[in-house]
Amino acid sequence: MDIAERFINYTKFDTQSAEDSETVPSTPKQLIFAKYLKEELEHEGFADVEMDDKGYIYATLKANTKKNIPTIGFISHYDTALDASGANIKARVVANYDGGDILLSPGIVSSPKKFPELLEHKGEDLIVTDGTTLLGADDKAGIAEIVEAMCYLRDHDEIKHGDIRMGFNPDEEIGMGAHHFDVEKFGCEWAYTMDGGDIGNLEYENFNAASAKITIKGVSVHTGYAKGKMVNASRLACEFNGYISETEIPETTEGYQGFYHLLGIESHCEEAKLSYIIRDHDKEKFEERKNFIEDIAKRMNEKYGEGTVKAVLKDQYYNMKEKIDPNMHVIDIVLKAMQDTGVTPKVEPIRGGTDGAQLSFRGLPCPNIFAGGVNFHGPYEFVSVQVMKKAVQVIVRICELTARFND
């Protein structure tokens, strides 16, 4: 099985997670894929293959040398994003892409005029959707690359390596992927998530992240007799959001700039709910942003009455740079592996987060490496077969270089 076939097989499973679920995994359909993947790992002959009741999968490629080598790991998530459907994905390969428009389905075109990233992959074999679903390269491409790399090492005993652990988990897209990841069982000195974007991406700085749930209590009265009585929660919801500057939202920020993002509003006259995410690379500014949301609630309560507005904030993850900086050998090995395999590193801060951010704060330094997907979370998502193969080469080389770590 080549890597394209392996990945396309994975895309046939609908593994979309669900934000408001209280189960783990958040959707039972994720377990269907998890069981398939577990059986595949067993079929490939890996050791210590197990899946717990929450759908977390662990496996090992055993060392082929008696040298004292650090145990390292590679991690990917198998859930897909909520932004577009993950059901009935029709993935296909556009061989030797010519640089022009790609007709995904009648009336649905992926064009380099809108997505110039396509031109960077001219001459390559691109896996695309039919334009009605996402593809799921985030992060099934990462899973395919890890499995393919471990199969390659299994079949090439001349490449010496220590124990290499694999970890695959649900619910990353809703910020819960690392919550039930068993770091102690994983047993690694450090690890890498294969969950980055296009070729060369290497990320070990990410946003500090929090969620904010705002509830506004109104008073519903007949509009003809509302004066002095009605409190229109829908209007107050608009007022609340109006406090947030248009210069501090995702649409107007880039690089290290943080933001507030309004995910959604549910509103009626007597109650409104707003859902935000808060992001900033700088920890001090991150705390200031959370305080600002609470200050808006306080200000509106002073205006409309105590208890009118309630803000519940919850931290999600933090900037992993704090934990990577004391362990820069983890980054040095990746940079050398990329150099050795002809990949130009692109070290960039993540305007988002990965499971590796949470795992780094749980004692497992875990930067993020490219998996190859482009235009994540939407119907124009694609991944290059050649980039996926490069990711496999980088993983193999990391394992080879780690075997020399104590020399």
Side-chain angles (χ1 to χ4, degrees), residues 63-190:
N64 62 357
T65 174
K66 295 186 181 298
K67 285 179 61 179
N68 180 25
I69 299 172
T71 298
I72 65 170
F74 294 90
I75 300 167
S76 288
H77 66 91
Y78 54 75
D79 67 313
T80 59
L82 287 65
D83 306 72
S85 173
N88 196 26
I89 295 171
K90 296 181 175 64
R92 66 182 176 92
V93 178
V94 177
N96 191 23
Y97 170 60
D98 63 7
D101 290 353
I102 301 174
L103 182 64
L104 302 178
S105 288
I108 304 176
V109 175
S110 183
S111 172
K113 293 177 183 177
K114 186 173 183 179
F115 303 108
E117 301 88 353
L118 283 163
L119 295 177
E120 298 176 17
H121 299 281
K122 186 177 179 179
E124 299 175 9
D125 303 318
L126 307 185
I127 303 176
V128 301
T129 73
D130 69 351
T132 64
T133 68
L134 50 66
L135 178 62
D138 180 13
D139 189 24
K140 289 171 183 166
I143 299 174
E145 291 154 5
I146 293 169
V147 175
E148 194 76 11
M150 295 305 105
C151 288
Y152 183 89
L153 287 169
R154 176 200 64 198
D155 297 338
H156 290 78
D157 200 52
E158 72 277 8
I159 301 175
K160 301 305 176 186
H161 58 81
D163 283 349
I164 305 166
R165 293 282 277 160
M166 293 168 269
F168 305 112
N169 59 269
D171 291 342
E172 188 269 356
E173 296 292 355
I174 58 171
M176 301 295 291
H179 284 215
H180 301 281
F181 195 99
D182 194 331
V183 172
E184 184 176 354
K185 177 188 290 184
F186 201 48
C188 295
E189 294 191 31
W190 69 84

Side-chain angles (χ1 to χ4, degrees), residues 224-244:
Y225 309 95
K227 185 175 181 180
K229 301 173 185 177
M230 177 184 285
V231 179
N232 188 340
S234 293
R235 186 181 63 78
L236 268 60
C238 295
E239 181 177 338
F240 187 101
N241 192 61
Y243 282 102
I244 295 172

Side-chain angles (χ1 to χ4, degrees), residues 39 42 54 102 127 155 195 203 213 241-242 249 264 303 329 381 389 398:
E39 291 172 1
E42 290 170 338
K54 295 178 174 61
I102 301 174
I127 303 176
D155 297 338
D195 193 19
E203 301 157 329
K213 306 291 185 183
N241 192 61
I249 57 177
K303 182 177 180 180
H329 61 278
E381 183 182 2
K389 289 180 178 178
I398 287 171

